[in-house]
Amino acid sequence: MTFGTCLARHPTTRSETVRVKVQACGICHSDTLTKEGTYPRIQYPRVPGHEVVGVIDAVGPEVASWTVGQRVGVGCHGRYCGRCAFCRRVTALALVPDDLSPVEAAPLMCAGITTFNALRNSGAKPGDVVAVLGIGGLGHLGVQYAAKLGFRTVAIARGKDKEALAKQLGAQIYIDTEVQDPAAELLKLGGAKAILATVTSSDV
């Protein structure tokens, strides 16, 4: 498909877009909501999978900052995403290092962005206590980001089974909600500057 044909097939695109050949696409829980139609005012067709990593294989005439062959990641819940290629505005792209596999990079386009943006906008500074509640699909990334950002990172989860992983990922302190009161434990540390909550139930 030529870039012109791509534009013709996708009427919402503009000349400031690129075409991305998909290498990997993650699936997360919000894709279930898309499939089941539980998002308000959702319009079909929709293609589940919005954690896309691929290679730019065509560039619109007004694009100056991106070139064919660059590996990029992009979040996408579009009506026009295909199995192999799609067009996307350049403002939605993120450069992906060549040494990071597409399969490992794809989830960063959703879970990674969600947790990173929350932490970088939290107001916390290096040395501050930051807690991550829930060490699952989102939380395991949140712990790594918090540690790399220099926060005094506290992981909170239910049971002892996740403690080793949490500390391997960079948590300095682990709170087991089955035997400890998280609020009391955080107060012992002087309180938390930010708490990144990644679970939907207070019982988890």
Side-chain angles (χ1 to χ4, degrees), residues 174-198:
Y174 182 81
I175 297 174
D176 176 1
T177 62
E178 287 188 335
V179 296
Q180 296 171 289
D181 179 344
E185 295 301 317
L186 289 175
L187 285 174
K188 290 178 185 178
L189 300 172
K193 179 69 175 181
I195 300 174
L196 176 63
T198 69

Side-chain angles (χ1 to χ4, degrees), residues 86-108:
F86 66 94
C87 293
R88 201 65 173 160
R89 291 179 63 91
V90 295
T91 53
L93 300 177
L95 192 63
V96 175
D98 289 334
D99 58 353
L100 183 61
S101 80
V103 172
E104 292 177 333
L108 299 178

Side-chain angles (χ1 to χ4, degrees), residues 100 104-105 107-108 111-117 119-120 130-156 162-173 196 198:
L100 183 61
E104 292 177 333
L108 299 178
I113 291 172
T114 300
T115 51
F116 179 71
N117 277 341
L119 290 170
R120 74 172 178 166
V130 170
V132 179
L133 173 61
I135 313 302
L138 291 164
H140 87 285
L141 292 171
V143 168
Q144 293 176 77
Y145 288 138
K148 294 294 184 182
L149 288 167
F151 303 143
R152 190 176 180 197
T153 304
V154 180
I156 305 172
K162 292 186 178 179
E163 181 174 7
L165 173 62
K167 290 189 173 179
Q168 179 185 339
L169 296 175
Q172 296 158 295
I173 299 167
L196 176 63
T198 69

Side-chain angles (χ1 to χ4, degrees), residues 7-202:
L7 290 176
R9 288 191 180 186
H10 308 311
T12 59
T13 59
R14 300 287 188 273
S15 56
E16 66 272 14
T17 64
V18 299
R19 190 176 68 190
V20 178
K21 183 177 181 182
V22 177
Q23 293 180 317
C25 180
I27 302 290
C28 85
H29 182 67
S30 60
D31 292 303
T32 303
L33 304 180
T34 300
K35 175 182 175 292
E36 300 299 329
T38 52
Y39 276 127
R41 298 182 299 279
I42 192 168
Q43 296 179 358
Y44 292 98
R46 279 288 195 274
V47 179
H50 60 278
E51 304 170 343
V52 175
V53 169
V55 176
I56 296 174
D57 71 352
V59 177
E62 295 183 19
V63 175
S65 55
W66 297 93
T67 59
V68 170
Q70 285 182 300
R71 295 182 68 235
V72 295
V74 57
C76 178
H77 251 316
R79 298 173 66 184
Y80 302 103
C81 289
R83 291 185 303 164
C84 59
F86 66 94
C87 293
R88 201 65 173 160
R89 291 179 63 91
V90 295
T91 53
L93 300 177
L95 192 63
V96 175
D98 289 334
D99 58 353
L100 183 61
S101 80
V103 172
E104 292 177 333
L108 299 178
M109 297 301 106
C110 180
I113 291 172
T114 300
T115 51
F116 179 71
N117 277 341
L119 290 170
R120 74 172 178 166
N121 292 307
S122 69
K125 297 179 180 178
D128 287 342
V129 173
V130 170
V132 179
L133 173 61
I135 313 302
L138 291 164
H140 87 285
L141 292 171
V143 168
Q144 293 176 77
Y145 288 138
K148 294 294 184 182
L149 288 167
F151 303 143
R152 190 176 180 197
T153 304
V154 180
I156 305 172
R158 183 177 57 186
K160 295 288 289 183
D161 58 316
K162 292 186 178 179
E163 181 174 7
L165 173 62
K167 290 189 173 179
Q168 179 185 339
L169 296 175
Q172 296 158 295
I173 299 167
Y174 182 81
I175 297 174
D176 176 1
T177 62
E178 287 188 335
V179 296
Q180 296 171 289
D181 179 344
E185 295 301 317
L186 289 175
L187 285 174
K188 290 178 185 178
L189 300 172
K193 179 69 175 181
I195 300 174
L196 176 63
T198 69
V199 295
T200 56
S201 170
S202 60

